[in-house]
Amino acid sequence: MIRRALRARLGSRWIGPLAAGAVALLAAALLAAAGLALAGYEPVAAGRALVSGAFGSWERFASITLVRATPLILTGLAVALAFRAGVWNIGAEGQLYAGAVAAVWVGLAFPGAPAWLLLPGAMAAAAVAGGLWTLVPVGLKFRAGVGEVITTILMNFVAIHTVAWLVHGPLQEARGVFPQTDPVALAARLPRLGSGRLHAGFPVAVVLAGALWWLLRHSAWGFRVRAVGASARAAAVSGRIHTGRVVLGAFLLSGMLAGLAGGVEVAGVTFALYENLSPGYGYTAIAVALLAGLNPVAVLLAAGFFGVLQAGAAAMQRDVGVPAVWVSAIEALVILAVVAADRFLRRGVAGKGGG
Amino acid sequence: MDAAALQAFLEASVRLGAPLALAALGETISERAGVINIGLEGSIIGGALGGALGALLTGSPGAGVLAGAAAGTAIAGVFALFAIGLNADQIIVGTAATLGGLGITGVVYQSVFGATGTALTLPTLPALPLPGLSALPAVGPALFSQAWTTYLAYLLAPALWYYLFRTRWGLELRAVGEEPGAADAAGIRVRRTRVLAVLGAGFLAGIAGAHLALAHAGTFAEGMSAGRGFIAIAVVVLGRWNPLLVLLASLFFGAASALQFELQAVFANVPYQLLLAFPYLLTLAALAGWIGRSRAPAALARPWPPRSGE
Amino acid sequence: FVGGLSVGCGGGESGPEGDALRVALLTSGPVSDAGWYAGAYEGLLLIEESLGAQVSHQQTRSPAEFDEAFFSYGSSGYDLVFAHGFEYQDAALRAGEEFPGMTIVVSSGGRISENVRSLIFRLEEGSYLAGMMAGGLTRSKVVGMVGGVAIPPAQGTFRAFEAGARVIDPDVEVLEAFIGSWDDVAAAREAAAAQLNRGADVLVHNTDAASFGVFQAVREAHGDEQPVWAIGMNRDQNDVAPDVIAGSAAIDIPRAFLRVASRFIAGDLPSGAFDLSLDEGVVDFIVNPAALHRIPAELLARIDEARTAIREGALEVPRIRFLEGESGTP
Amino acid sequence: MARPAVEMRSVSRRFGPIEALADASLSAYPGEVHALLGENGAGKTTLMRVLCGMLRPDGGEVLVEDRRLPPGGTRAAAAAGIGMVHQHFTLLPSLTVAENVALGTREGSGLRLALDRVHARLAELERVTGLPVDAGAPVAGLSVGAKQRVEILKALYRDPRVLVLDEPTTVLGPQEVDWLFGVLRSLVAGGRTVLLIGHKLDEILRVADRVTVLRRGRTVLEAARQAVDAPGLARAMIGRETTPAGRSAQAVGGAAGERVARLEVVGVRGEDGRMAVREVNLEVRRGEIVGIGGVEGNGQRELALVLSGRLRPSSGTADCPTTVSLIPQDRSAGGLVPGFDLAENTALAFHDDDAHRRGPLIDWAAMRRTAQEIVTGFDVRVPGWRATARSLSGGNRQKLLVGRELARAPDLLVAENPMRGLDIAAAAFLRDKLVELKRGNPSVAEVGGAGGRPAHAPPGIVLFSTDLDEVLDLADRVFVLVRGRLIPVPEEERNPAGMGRLMLGSAGA
Ligand SMILES: Nc1ncnc2c1ncn2[C@@H]1O[C@H](COP(=O)(O)OP(=O)(O)OP(=O)(O)O)[C@@H](O)[C@H]1O
Ligand SMILES: Nc1ncnc2c1ncn2[C@@H]1O[C@H](COP(=O)(O)OP(=O)(O)OP(=O)(O)O)[C@@H](O)[C@H]1O
Ligand SMILES: [Mg+2]
Ligand SMILES: [Mg+2]
């Protein structure tokens, strides 16, 4: 009793969990270091490469880490929005591809158009295409009662193979040789910010994250989305919410955000459409969104975390020669450590037990 | 299609469907207990490498299957530790398990066989024709002249069905997946049930991986699971969390994939990329025509005990 | 925080010898594939060993990482970057402009510039000979080809293979399938099984790790009365399945890389594109010694004849030209 | 007296800042029905959840037959012979009744689930207790009352030494309550112990041998039945003198106004696909209370949903006003979102109301004000302003929900058992509110802020209740709902016996 009161006064409710969280991260670092050392790599150098690869200089941070984070922010927002509405959209990957196709198509089809028209046009097309790609899951959900988890997974595979066909067929570069499209018109590319590779897609993603956060929190629409996600039954019984409409809207908008991610990726980074355009952004996005607790602003941090991890891991390959397979294993370890730390913290703060 | 072609097509369907079935049956149990393990892919690839190494070391593919099962279980164990032990989010931990499984198997493979890998030829699981049954026309050789791991899938489906719907343990497991609170109130050990279900799923996913390496490919290659873990999760939904239907759904997906290869041979001028999309489109069409709604276990992906304040 | 860490960055000062040649390799698949990427990595190690170069490798996972990798190597002062696949070509052109001091060699690249070169392996020549072998071995008069992704270099080897088979037997039917992946073993196995089932009795592949699936299918279909053959590609795969492989159309990638690096040091790396072919010994068709006794001597003789003809330029093997500006390209 | 079967000694338990139990003690003896009483939020449920191992107490100890129970384990509690019927359901909707009953028992201890044994024993229980159950039916399709019967059977099935029932009677009809009390008496006659929670004092006092009263987490009274009476208990619970419950104003009578809702030959299909409501004709006018009595599961849910415009009828026509308040039957999935805080739960009803928004944005300040008005107006005991609905006690959830729905200033109010789970004071308060509301008293309509409607236009009220006394006390016009048919109760039958006859008569028809 007394100890309890004392501890509460000293605020040590934070200290225990913080320590546990730190221990989790430290354990992961030690484990990774031990593994690397065993395999004959320099663990300290690897750690340094990891950090400097992500943060080494402002230019590096902007050109690599933030560029990597951008599609994860947009797809992370897509997933967060859908999950908030109780829509299990696992299909951000496919929707991203749909968006990329549309953006590239616009960027190629109107070479003479001015930038103020072409770029927004391409981005809008990307968003619309991403939204349209959800229509099959939406239709099956509403008409046949098929859950979206399976349909969106299947549509991802369909998207990937369709893109493969497009770059071998209708959208193939004019020479008809390689499986890729021609680069899009300059007017369809996102402007660069500063001297590095950072493009305007990043601030757009940040603004969208803020906007989505604000809308979810303050707008009637956002409230309806949250209510339907938290309890569709209670929302319906309140008599003020059309759950079907809310679900439909959130699904489409989620698809649009993911589509925009694809558009931004081609307009800001690759400039052409390729097979394997996405290294699984749409799947990583699920982890991003959940790590962020489905909070759009926290999605920025979670996406940044993955951006840092991947940028740093690539540097570990280049500078220390740690093979890519190690990199995946270490990424997994870091994710687990962060999750564990997060659990310790929350558990501690919420108070033990709790029914 | 003539008889020989039909038979070959059926054989391919079963070959492609069997590993899916093994993994999906395990996932069915796990999901029925309320745990979605998208780290299944990690257990499959772990099983493939475990199977390969086990078979190489002992020279016996049977021992390889056991080693594969152990590897799959180990990866599922890490998942269980975080997702159930620490109550962390199942999807995030599953993502890490997939990433980690692919990474660790690569690390082990490269430590054993060198950075540039090796052309591995493994002792394979022989086909065991079942006397009598394998002589049936067309379906006989396809269904009943396979490696024993395939028969394991056949046997598991009804066994798991019986377990789920006819035994006390199965009832308790379903209760844990539907209403962990109610299950707890009834004195059922929710976490223990979930951990066991996840480990069982990892065990079967490991066998699925070992089957890929030892009964299907005769080799190990990095990333050879090629997304089958995710397909298996979709197959569980297609099979409505019912082991018998899950087996059928796996074979259905196997058949759709096998048909795709036949179609490439027949329609040489249809772009092959579109044919590759065919199994997925066919599955979507099947779902559209699949009458009636199916419902996931109510507590799927919900941690227990519920996190307060979230 | 960011500033404090920048010391470790870039690897710019981490090079022990400031003037050592710095060579990097980019692959878009794992170098443990015992195939296309492994060959490149071996080449990189050979360069390190023979030329004392400082080397680095990165496996990229998506087009977005291409620019980033070039950017990283360019900004840390690498001299020579092998980008092992056509997919790098656009990013290479961009990086070439940004880092004029860096030379980029794109394997099978289709575009070139001042400091972006294309290294073209004329695997078609080996594949043509492999096709002859297939045409001579087939009894069913059906041969099959299992590809990963239909990219021009892969399609080129298939066209040459077809031509080679028809030289021996004009009536040979040729089947073709792609699995959409370079390393899905199971898919390759089923694609091969489907072709065997349609009567093919000699199969060639152009995949990577997935080739084991083709060999496995062939091995299972193989019978002593009804022999079924496989043909290896990209590397000498003869000892992977000695019982069923007739031979391999192979590229000696390490040797090619070493040659490029040596000429780069010597300063006489040809501008634009350069082919490495049968003539340089970089590409060849290697008959499997273990199968030699089962192959008709007269077939072997015809293959040798053709090899000489190709070397001497008397025989031109069909190929797909993918270099921009090259005659005969679209 | 013999040694107690259950002894709880100064148990304490906090939820964050809330001290749910401060110093709660309780002794219950073999052979007695022991009533546990207290206001909403007093800690009754928490104390019982500690007893059956679902909650770990912060302090104090629990003894069962003189043996200390290890804290926080449902299995140990069950092994010690404690069974509980929870305030909310703990049934699995997708399972059948028999499977639910078998869950967690050692029935068919081997591999096979001996469902036939369960069926047999259920049939036996059915015979002994006189309670019909369909052992093979899936629970999802059962009415709330039937679910409660299953919960009770499930507890009885385990043959507990100590049976805890947390407000079991709220969803039972009068005959079922009599039946339940009969069963409880026969249990204690066999030497068992029953712990019973409830808010209707006269009902509880009918069956209890001893009572314990909790106030704000502390035991304030423990006495034998003979030593207490209802007013004394109420005083102990509240801690001060109270007005006796109910009858503060004559409810029935007054001028009915314009028509606000009309149903014409309405039929509604239930979730199981069968017709739950048949050929119902009904008109509701402003300023009247239409009372609909009947046993749970006769179509109340569906009829309420249709009346309130939440569900389209399968046949016939329904004319409903735009603003309809609904207090649904199914509290556990009905009106509140468990994870939302007070303002958010208020916003479910008001987020698109003009007074609570600025353009497309929600005016959260206004929303919090409304939430505050509801909380003060209905005396909802909340742990804090950010408290989620989940953290409220059962009765306080109900108060929040009722308060919100009344605050909408509706044209029509549809309420299913609105008094359920409310303590005496709250129930009396709500009764008065309903009467005021129908009289068009502005003080009630004000709660919702500017509804945009003249505050004096009273709504029409449709009150569904399983409590016939409640209906008779409040309703201007009375109906019974039997198997989906709405039967008007003529003036001469306006008494419990008459209504009971009507319900039976039509059931036979
Ligand atoms: N899980 C929880 N988290 C936070 N607070 C809780 C929780 N459960 C109960 N409480 C709080 O503890 C107090 C006692 O609740 P309890 O449910 O025991 O009351 P009760 O006597 O059963 O009331 P009722 O008659 O309304 O059912 C209430 O103030 C409630 O808000
Ligand atoms: N009025 C209501 N509206 C919505 N959900 C409710 C309501 N009442 C109960 N619930 C649900 O019941 C579940 C069980 O509540 P909890 O676990 O807090 O038990 P409890 O505190 O014993 O309940 P109670 O307070 O009713 O005694 C909650 O999670 C919530 O979903
Ligand atoms: Mg209670
Ligand atoms: Mg309570």
Side-chain angles (χ1 to χ4, degrees):
Chain A
M1 268 287 126
I2 295 168
R3 235 177 59 200
R4 201 190 170 81
L6 258 178
R7 278 179 40 156
R9 188 146 314 152
L10 292 175
S12 67
R13 233 148 55 91
W14 283 94
I15 294 174
L18 268 179
V23 166
L25 288 171
L26 199 69
L30 285 179
L31 209 62
L36 285 170
L38 259 176
Y41 302 102
E42 192 57 66
V44 178
R48 273 238 309 260
L50 189 96
V51 175
S52 71
F55 298 108
S57 63
W58 165 251
E59 197 184 18
R60 185 167 283 262
F61 180 68
S63 295
I64 297 184
T65 310
L66 295 184
V67 170
R68 275 184 187 257
T70 302
L72 290 177
I73 294 174
L74 289 170
T75 49
L77 292 177
V79 174
L81 170 62
F83 282 20
R84 269 295 178 94
V87 172
W88 305 108
N89 180 11
I90 314 293
E93 183 80 354
Q95 292 140 22
L96 177 145
Y97 271 110
V101 168
V104 163
W105 180 77
V106 170
L108 291 172
F110 308 100
W116 62 264
L117 189 62
L118 194 56
L119 184 60
M123 293 304 99
V128 168
L132 289 178
W133 199 252
T134 64
L135 283 186
V136 170
V138 163
L140 284 173
K141 182 181 173 76
F142 282 91
R143 294 258 160 257
V146 184
E148 63 275 14
V149 172
I150 178 171
T151 51
T152 49
I153 291 181
L154 292 169
M155 288 300 284
N156 287 344
F157 287 97
V158 174
I160 286 166
H161 290 303
T162 304
V163 166
W165 166 63
L166 287 172
V167 296
H168 280 94
L171 285 183
Q172 193 174 24
E173 55 171 8
R175 288 170 62 220
V177 175
F178 290 106
Q180 63 170 82
T181 64
D182 282 319
V184 294
L186 287 175
R189 299 186 189 184
L190 284 163
R192 291 261 158 109
L193 306 178
S195 62
R197 298 174 56 236
L198 187 64
H199 53 80
F202 175 72
V204 167
V206 172
V207 167
L208 281 175
L212 190 59
W213 175 83
W214 195 75
L215 282 173
L216 279 176
R217 200 178 163 80
H218 294 288
S219 77
W221 169 80
F223 177 75
R224 284 194 287 268
V225 166
R226 291 192 292 130
V228 169
S231 169
R233 183 85 171 263
V237 166
S238 80
R240 284 270 163 270
I241 299 174
H242 294 273
T243 48
R245 259 185 241 168
V246 172
V247 164
L248 180 73
F251 209 152
L252 291 181
L253 198 59
S254 167
M256 291 178 76
L257 281 166
L260 185 63
V264 164
E265 193 66 356
V266 292
V269 180
T270 68
F271 309 126
L273 185 64
Y274 301 85
E275 286 181 83
N276 309 322
L277 178 78
S278 160
Y281 291 130
Y283 294 109
T284 310
I286 299 171
V288 166
L290 290 170
L291 201 59
L294 306 185
N295 176 337
V297 170
V299 161
L300 292 176
L301 292 179
F305 165 70
F306 277 90
V308 164
L309 201 57
Q310 291 175 359
M316 233 161 72
Q317 277 193 67
R318 286 191 303 266
D319 298 350
V320 194
V322 176
V325 285
W326 276 93
V327 167
S328 310
I330 291 172
E331 274 181 31
L333 204 60
V334 174
I335 294 174
L336 288 180
V338 167
V339 165
D342 173 76
R343 291 310 311 152
F344 284 129
L345 285 173
R346 286 192 204 216
R347 203 193 262 183
V349 173
K352 302 247 153 42
Chain B
M1 237 187 243
D2 60 30
L6 179 66
Q7 177 185 324
F9 161 68
L10 288 175
E11 275 174 19
S13 309
V14 175
R15 273 200 304 264
L16 288 164
L20 277 184
L22 286 166
L25 285 170
E27 180 73 9
T28 304
I29 297 303
S30 163
E31 292 197 11
R32 278 283 184 179
V35 184
I36 181 160
N37 180 2
I38 65 164
L40 208 58
E41 182 85 1
S43 282
I44 296 180
I45 191 71
L49 180 64
L53 291 178
L56 275 184
L57 281 178
T58 62
S60 144
V65 173
L66 281 185
T73 313
I75 289 174
V78 175
F79 173 87
L81 181 69
F82 284 83
I84 303 169
L86 280 182
N87 234 342
D89 188 279
Q90 294 175 8
I91 306 275
I92 305 181
V93 179
T95 307
T98 293
L99 205 58
L102 291 168
I104 295 281
T105 50
V107 166
V108 172
Y109 175 73
Q110 292 186 14
S111 332
V112 177
F113 300 108
T116 53
T118 182
L120 207 55
T121 304
L122 301 173
T124 51
L125 285 169
L128 296 176
L130 293 184
L133 287 174
S134 61
L136 293 172
V139 292
L143 289 172
F144 303 114
S145 185
Q146 298 282 349
W148 64 264
T149 40
T150 306
Y151 303 141
L152 183 65
Y154 299 165
L155 291 179
L156 271 174
L160 290 178
W161 179 88
Y162 186 85
Y163 162 80
L164 272 182
F165 300 112
R166 289 291 179 273
T167 70
R168 185 163 62 77
W169 297 326
L171 180 65
E172 295 184 0
L173 181 114
R174 285 186 289 142
V176 164
E178 289 287 337
E179 286 288 343
D184 176 59
I188 296 165
R189 294 187 181 128
V190 175
R191 280 159 177 261
R192 194 175 70 163
T193 308
R194 287 188 161 185
V195 167
L196 288 177
V198 166
L199 292 182
F203 185 85
L204 287 182
I207 296 185
H211 174 98
L212 269 184
L214 298 172
H216 201 158
T219 188
F220 174 83
E222 270 179 47
M224 73 184 288
S225 47
R228 282 180 180 78
F230 297 101
I231 301 289
I233 291 170
V235 161
V236 173
V237 186
L238 186 61
R240 296 179 169 187
W241 295 272
N242 176 336
L244 296 175
L245 294 179
V246 164
L247 176 66
L248 287 182
S250 308
L251 294 177
F252 170 82
F253 197 86
S257 313
L259 194 57
Q260 180 268 124
F261 294 113
E262 300 291 333
L263 292 179
Q264 273 205 43
V266 178
F267 301 106
N269 41 13
V270 175
Y272 74 89
Q273 296 88 356
L274 293 183
L275 294 175
L276 286 173
F278 173 77
Y280 308 101
L281 290 169
L282 190 64
T283 309
L284 280 168
L287 281 169
W290 205 188
I291 312 298
R293 287 160 193 253
S294 68
R295 200 181 53 80
L300 189 60
R302 271 205 340 239
W304 173 262
R307 303 178 197 154
S308 43
E310 281 173 47
Chain C
F1 179 51
V2 171
L5 290 162
S6 62
V7 208
C9 120
E13 39 35 284
S14 64
E17 313 89 338
D19 53 351
L21 179 69
R22 310 186 75 197
V23 183
L25 168 69
L26 293 177
T27 62
S28 37
V31 297
S32 55
D33 62 347
W36 171 251
Y37 298 122
Y41 190 66
E42 283 164 6
L44 185 72
L45 297 182
L46 192 61
I47 291 170
E48 180 182 32
E49 197 180 300
S50 317
L51 305 177
Q54 186 196 332
V55 300
S56 169
H57 164 239
Q58 182 183 343
Q59 180 185 331
T60 57
R61 285 188 289 194
S62 69
E65 287 179 39
F66 300 166
D67 288 287
E68 175 193 315
F70 284 125
F71 171 86
S72 297
Y73 283 131
S75 56
S76 22
Y78 274 76
D79 306 298
L80 178 62
V81 177
F82 287 94
H84 198 47
F86 78 90
E87 60 271 22
Y88 291 101
Q89 58 193 1
D90 293 341
L93 283 186
R94 288 193 288 269
E97 250 175 66
E98 197 173 344
F99 301 101
M102 179 168 73
T103 299
I104 302 173
V105 177
V106 181
S107 302
S108 312
R111 316 210 213 289
I112 47 182
S113 74
E114 189 59 38
N115 54 343
V116 176
R117 317 288 162 86
S118 170
L119 174 58
I120 297 172
F121 305 105
R122 299 284 293 275
L123 184 57
E124 297 88 356
E125 296 178 348
S127 185
Y128 180 86
L129 302 180
M132 292 176 69
M133 176 71 90
L137 288 178
T138 178
R139 299 183 188 186
S140 62
K141 303 296 167 213
V142 185
V143 301
M145 310 183 292
V146 177
V149 179
I151 56 171
Q155 284 168 313
T157 57
F158 281 179
R159 296 292 81 75
F161 183 85
E162 236 177 304
R166 296 232 162 90
V167 161
I168 302 289
D169 186 340
D171 298 331
V172 165
E173 188 191 338
V174 184
L175 306 176
E176 183 183 75
F178 287 92
I179 59 171
S181 148
W182 297 106
D183 34 36
D184 188 342
V185 190
R189 184 206 153 124
E190 294 308 337
Q195 291 184 344
L196 291 169
N197 190 46
R198 290 176 57 82
D201 60 356
V202 185
L203 297 192
V204 71
H205 76 89
N206 191 338
T207 67
D208 202 10
S211 59
F212 300 117
V214 176
F215 301 146
Q216 180 69 10
V218 168
R219 223 186 259 137
E220 280 184 20
H222 183 75
D224 282 336
E225 297 89 70
Q226 276 198 311
V228 180
W229 293 96
I231 290 175
M233 183 81 83
N234 290 327
R235 297 198 109 197
D236 180 355
Q237 297 182 303
N238 288 344
D239 53 356
V240 175
D243 42 339
V244 293
I245 293 187
S248 298
I251 313 173
D252 192 343
I253 300 175
R255 185 161 164 180
F257 272 30
L258 184 60
R259 182 162 306 182
V260 170
S262 311
R263 293 182 68 174
F264 177 77
I265 289 179
D268 68 341
L269 191 64
S271 64
F274 44 99
D275 297 7
L276 292 173
S277 58
L278 257 183
D279 204 18
E280 286 90 355
V282 165
V283 167
D284 202 356
F285 176 68
I286 306 158
V287 178
N288 183 7
L292 214 49
H293 62 282
R294 286 155 59 208
I295 300 171
E298 128 212 32
L299 178 60
L300 290 174
R302 283 193 69 177
I303 291 174
D304 280 336
E305 246 168 63
R307 180 183 285 114
T308 319
I310 294 171
R311 278 221 175 102
E312 288 168 354
L315 174 61
E316 176 136 17
V317 168
R319 66 180 171 113
I320 291 183
R321 288 162 207 269
F322 46 79
L323 195 67
E324 218 164 22
E326 195 185 9
S327 61
T329 55
Chain D
M1 212 180 266
R3 56 172 194 175
V6 172
E7 191 168 7
M8 303 183 78
R9 292 186 191 145
S10 56
V11 174
S12 61
R13 166 76 205 206
R14 312 182 67 92
F15 293 100
I18 292 294
E19 196 162 44
L21 295 174
D23 176 13
S25 303
L26 177 147
S27 307
Y29 294 87
E32 72 175 16
V33 173
H34 191 114
L36 182 58
L37 303 174
E39 282 185 293
N40 289 135
K44 306 178 294 291
T45 299
T46 306
L47 188 65
M48 290 302 100
R49 289 176 65 190
V50 167
L51 174 62
C52 72
M54 296 179 77
L55 275 182
R56 184 185 284 271
D58 297 329
E61 55 181 355
V62 180
L63 296 132
V64 177
E65 289 176 343
D66 280 348
R67 277 213 308 280
R68 236 194 117 157
L69 267 197
T74 50
R75 293 171 74 87
I82 293 171
M84 180 155 176
V85 173
H86 293 271
Q87 184 170 6
H88 55 86
F89 294 127
T90 60
L91 297 173
L92 288 129
S94 60
L95 301 185
T96 64
V97 170
E99 286 174 326
N100 265 293
V101 168
L103 192 66
T105 64
R106 299 267 125 197
E107 207 62 84
S109 51
L111 191 62
R112 231 183 83 75
L113 178 66
L115 271 182
D116 43 349
R117 284 246 303 278
V118 180
H119 280 262
R121 276 203 55 202
L122 269 178
E124 168 74 12
L125 266 180
E126 187 179 330
R127 203 178 50 72
V128 173
T129 61
L131 168 86
V133 282
D134 179 359
V139 162
L142 298 184
S143 69
V144 173
K147 281 184 190 159
Q148 183 68 298
R149 290 197 296 270
V150 176
E151 285 280 14
I152 294 168
L153 278 177
K154 190 172 116 184
L156 291 178
Y157 188 92
R158 275 145 238 256
D159 195 15
R161 308 275 320 139
V162 178
L163 177 62
V164 181
L165 299 112
D166 193 351
E167 302 189 25
T169 60
T170 44
V171 294
L172 297 179
Q175 291 93 337
E176 289 172 312
V177 172
D178 290 341
W179 156 79
L180 174 67
F181 286 174
V183 172
L184 298 185
R185 289 259 50 115
S186 71
L187 274 180
V188 297
R192 273 143 234 261
T193 308
V194 169
L195 279 160
L196 181 65
I197 299 177
H199 290 295
K200 290 188 185 165
L201 292 182
D202 41 352
E203 197 178 85
I204 297 288
L205 291 177
R206 245 163 65 205
V207 69
D209 298 305
R210 280 161 51 78
V211 294
T212 291
V213 176
L214 284 185
R215 187 167 74 227
R216 298 183 190 252
R218 286 167 209 278
T219 300
V220 292
L221 178 75
E222 184 168 354
R225 159 73 185 90
Q226 297 84 348
V228 292
D229 58 359
L233 283 176
R235 204 172 326 123
M237 281 154 58
I238 299 165
R240 59 186 153 77
E241 214 52 58
T242 56
T243 47
R247 302 293 180 282
S248 55
Q250 176 60 36
V252 181
E258 50 163 331
R259 192 182 69 208
V260 286
R262 183 173 61 183
L263 302 186
E264 269 174 30
V265 281
V266 158
V268 189
R269 230 170 256 292
E271 262 169 15
D272 56 359
R274 280 183 299 193
M275 291 307 284
V277 172
R278 299 155 195 272
E279 293 167 32
V280 165
N281 296 299
L282 181 65
E283 275 191 12
V284 186
R285 298 179 173 279
R286 286 192 189 280
E288 70 166 350
I289 296 181
V290 175
I292 300 179
V295 177
E296 202 87 62
N298 277 286
Q300 285 94 337
R301 200 178 106 78
E302 288 78 7
L303 187 54
L305 286 175
V306 166
L307 257 176
S308 58
R310 312 306 201 248
L311 184 69
R312 218 170 300 172
S314 319
S315 59
T317 53
D319 262 338
C320 314
T322 41
T323 313
V324 188
S325 288
L326 172 66
I327 299 168
Q329 167 203 60
D330 193 358
R331 283 193 3 219
S332 54
L336 302 178
V337 174
F340 274 8
D341 65 20
L342 303 173
E344 288 172 320
N345 269 305
T346 306
L348 279 177
F350 292 108
H351 72 272
D352 59 353
D353 176 87
D354 286 334
H356 293 89
R357 58 176 216 189
R358 275 170 291 162
L361 302 184
I362 294 182
D363 182 350
W364 282 111
M367 199 66 77
R368 269 190 293 274
R369 276 196 299 279
T370 301
Q372 195 152 10
E373 280 163 29
I374 294 169
V375 165
T376 22
F378 282 79
D379 188 29
V380 185
R381 304 279 166 86
V382 296
W385 282 106
R386 304 284 307 164
T388 56
R390 182 181 286 124
S391 69
L392 302 188
S393 81
N396 282 306
R397 287 178 197 172
Q398 183 73 357
K399 288 198 261 180
L400 177 64
L401 178 64
V402 169
R404 183 187 80 191
E405 292 303 311
L406 294 193
R408 281 196 208 214
D411 296 314
L412 176 66
L413 166 66
V414 179
E416 292 181 78
N417 292 306
M419 316 280 183
R420 170 180 300 167
L422 297 186
D423 61 28
I424 317 165
F429 177 76
L430 175 58
R431 178 190 176 279
D432 292 349
K433 279 280 181 215
L434 288 178
V435 174
E436 276 177 38
L437 193 61
K438 96 165 185 175
R439 300 247 149 94
N441 187 324
S443 73
V444 175
E446 245 172 32
V447 173
R453 206 169 305 98
H456 51 265
I461 299 176
V462 180
L463 172 70
F464 290 85
S465 183
T466 44
D467 184 342
L468 299 185
D469 292 328
E470 200 174 289
V471 174
L472 291 171
D473 172 33
L474 284 168
D476 300 299
R477 290 191 289 143
V478 182
F479 296 82
V480 288
L481 188 62
V482 188
R483 297 192 178 177
R485 289 181 199 277
L486 193 64
I487 301 158
V489 178
E491 195 53 45
E492 64 275 16
E493 302 277 12
R494 272 196 70 142
N495 53 60
M499 284 176 76
R501 258 195 309 280
L502 270 176
M503 284 152 63
L504 280 179
S506 315

